[in-house]
Amino acid sequence: MKKIYSMMTLLSVSVLMLFSSNMFSQDYSVRLTSQTFSSLTQTLSFPGTTPNANGDGTFTLIYYDGDLDGTGTNLENIGITGETGPSIGNTLPTGQCSAVRDSVQITIPMADINAWASTGGSIDILLTATSAVNITLCTGSLAVDAHLTYPVATGPNDAGASSISPTIICPGTDTVKVQVNNYGTNQIDSVMVNWRKNGTLQTPIHLKTLLDTAAGTGISSIIVSLGAHTFTAGATEVFEVWTTMPNGVVDTSTLNDTTIANIKPSLSGIYTIGGTTPDYATFALALADLNTIGVCGPITFNVRQGTYNERISIGGIAGSSATNSITFQSDPANSAMPLIQGAGTTTADNYVLAFTNGAEHITFDSLHFKTTGTTYATVVNYLGSVNNTTLNNCMLEGNAAGTTSTWQTVLYQNGGLCN
């Protein structure tokens, strides 16, 4: 994503180094002001970044003078993407052409800050306005101010742990690893890697690999194995890792020593929704697991007979593919279709079932979707680019009243590319 910009593009940069009460740390803090959009995309390049953050960063985007008042299928906002993707957030709709500033603040994990900064001297944040935004509508061009800050370790002997992996894992045996980093101004030739599994202290690892400083020519981080572990479907294993005694002395900053990961195997196989002693009582609970831990094999959710007063929104699921497809179907033991019903309250939530950006290889089979809305009464809404999704043998029941409103369609798709 690295690009070279002229000084005309970078209209204003102010750098403020804020010293904390810790004598060994200071903040990276850079503000970019009056960044105007000449197209639907704009790259903000924060200079002078270094991969030795010792805490989470904060990105603040202030936006004004734009056509950002749309919602729902006419959504007008700005998507925010990090140095290496994916999306890290977006703006909310605000007043059209308003000079009054609105803002959004996003926390960026320390590991992401360091990964982005290690690509070379700056961190680039990509802003993408939705296609509904008219950048020439207002007297002043759509403009933003932005501020990136994160704490930086500058102590001589400062080690830390981050990025426990894997994050997507299937039931069975796999090796757990952790990244150990040198955040200090001295090289580190030894450090203790301490860890717990499910609250039980494990044997420490005495790491004796030379870790260079972030500005050095050698490696400043290394992946350390915590051994092979068995993971059971439905069970969460908690790993906590922290470093001590870099170079045999007390660490000069403890803010970045510890990382924790809750590793739960991804879904694979057959699950039930609803009824007596189900795997998931509601669609919402099933979707929460799908969104959090993804899939590592084909999934079938057998939906028990009954009425579900909830609305379903499903997007991209980690691990889904033509092989690892996701199916929600009427339980074979049912004598009637399960009913999923609900109503939107605005154009932004106008659906009973919504496929959002990135949804793919998802099937709904033999289910009854019914809107209970009158003004906002769309049954199925495609909100973005969606691929290989199927509605098979389903009943879609819309509002019985006659209307020409596009807010009350049985099936609606606006923008994006859908297969």
Side-chain angles (χ1 to χ4, degrees):
M1 188 187 288
K2 288 285 185 276
K3 297 180 181 178
I4 298 175
Y5 295 90
S6 70
M7 291 306 294
M8 291 299 291
T9 301
L10 189 62
L11 297 179
S12 175
V13 178
S14 60
V15 181
L16 175 64
M17 306 304 289
L18 302 176
F19 290 88
S20 73
S21 57
N22 184 339
M23 63 179 296
F24 298 112
S25 66
Q26 62 187 15
D27 277 353
Y28 172 89
S29 183
V30 171
R31 299 177 187 273
L32 307 177
T33 60
S34 302
Q35 305 291 291
T36 56
F37 281 67
S38 58
S39 67
L40 291 177
T41 60
Q42 174 78 349
T43 299
L44 305 177
S45 187
F46 291 90
T49 56
T50 53
N52 60 341
N54 71 344
D56 293 344
T58 300
F59 174 74
T60 304
L61 186 70
I62 303 168
Y63 46 99
Y64 50 95
D65 285 344
D67 171 32
L68 297 176
D69 60 322
T71 58
T73 56
N74 189 40
L75 185 62
E76 297 171 352
N77 70 357
I78 303 170
I80 305 166
T81 304
E83 171 82 24
T84 55
S87 170
I88 60 175
N90 56 262
T91 64
L92 297 174
T94 187
Q96 181 171 286
C97 302
S98 174
V100 176
R101 274 127 168 99
D102 208 343
S103 66
V104 61
Q105 190 173 85
I106 298 168
T107 297
I108 302 176
M110 177 182 69
D112 289 345
I113 289 288
N114 287 320
W116 298 348
S118 66
T119 61
S122 66
I123 289 178
D124 292 345
I125 303 293
L126 177 66
L127 306 181
T128 304
T130 56
S131 59
V133 174
N134 183 349
I135 61 173
T136 63
L137 176 68
C138 307
T139 303
S141 297
L142 172 61
V144 298
D145 300 340
H147 184 200
L148 177 65
T149 183
Y150 59 89
V152 176
T154 59
N157 303 293
D158 183 9
S162 66
S163 304
I164 295 175
S165 62
T167 54
I168 299 295
I169 188 170
C170 289
T173 301
D174 210 330
T175 301
V176 176
K177 301 175 183 178
V178 64
Q179 181 172 312
V180 175
N181 313 287
N182 180 9
Y183 296 116
T185 56
N186 283 348
Q187 291 182 331
I188 293 176
D189 58 18
S190 68
V191 62
M192 297 302 299
V193 181
N194 314 277
W195 60 293
R196 292 189 185 97
K197 180 182 178 182
N198 298 327
T200 301
L201 190 64
Q202 307 293 313
T203 302
I205 299 168
H206 192 184
L207 181 64
K208 296 182 179 180
T209 302
L210 180 66
L211 298 180
D212 205 349
T213 63
T217 57
I219 61 169
S220 60
S221 64
I222 190 170
I223 302 299
V224 177
S225 173
L226 302 180
H229 299 266
T230 300
F231 296 90
T232 304
T236 300
E237 307 292 338
V238 182
F239 291 84
E240 179 184 7
V241 184
W242 68 99
T243 58
T244 56
M245 303 301 290
N247 290 329
V249 300
V250 175
D251 200 312
T252 51
S253 175
T254 59
L255 296 176
N256 55 6
D257 288 350
T258 304
T259 185
I260 298 175
N262 298 312
I263 303 178
K264 183 178 181 180
S266 300
L267 301 180
S268 178
I270 300 174
Y271 301 87
T272 55
I273 296 178
T276 304
T277 62
D279 295 304
Y280 299 97
T282 64
F283 282 89
L285 291 174
L287 289 169
D289 255 8
L290 281 174
N291 290 327
T292 302
I293 61 178
V295 301
C296 62
I299 298 290
T300 298
F301 293 99
N302 286 328
V303 184
R304 264 84 175 264
Q305 188 172 323
T307 298
Y308 298 82
N309 294 303
E310 54 181 323
R311 293 159 49 253
I312 300 169
S313 175
I314 187 166
I317 304 297
S320 67
S321 66
T323 300
N324 297 343
S325 59
I326 302 168
T327 300
F328 296 84
Q329 67 177 23
S330 179
D331 191 303
N334 290 347
S335 60
M337 279 186 178
L339 171 63
I340 302 97
Q341 64 180 10
T345 57
T346 68
T347 55
D349 65 0
N350 186 16
Y351 58 82
V352 181
L353 170 64
F355 294 100
T356 63
N357 206 43
E360 61 179 1
H361 305 294
I362 299 167
T363 295
F364 288 86
D365 191 351
S366 302
L367 301 174
H368 180 184
F369 294 95
K370 176 183 178 180
T371 180
T372 57
T374 53
T375 301
Y376 301 101
T378 293
V379 182
V380 180
N381 209 334
Y382 291 83
L383 302 171
S385 296
V386 175
N387 293 296
N388 300 302
T389 60
T390 303
L391 298 174
N392 187 46
N393 296 321
C394 289
M395 180 184 294
L396 309 181
E397 185 176 351
N399 183 14
T403 181
T404 58
S405 172
T406 57
W407 296 344
Q408 299 179 37
T409 55
V410 173
L411 189 148
Y412 190 77
Q413 188 262 330
N414 180 43
L417 300 174
C418 296
N419 295 322

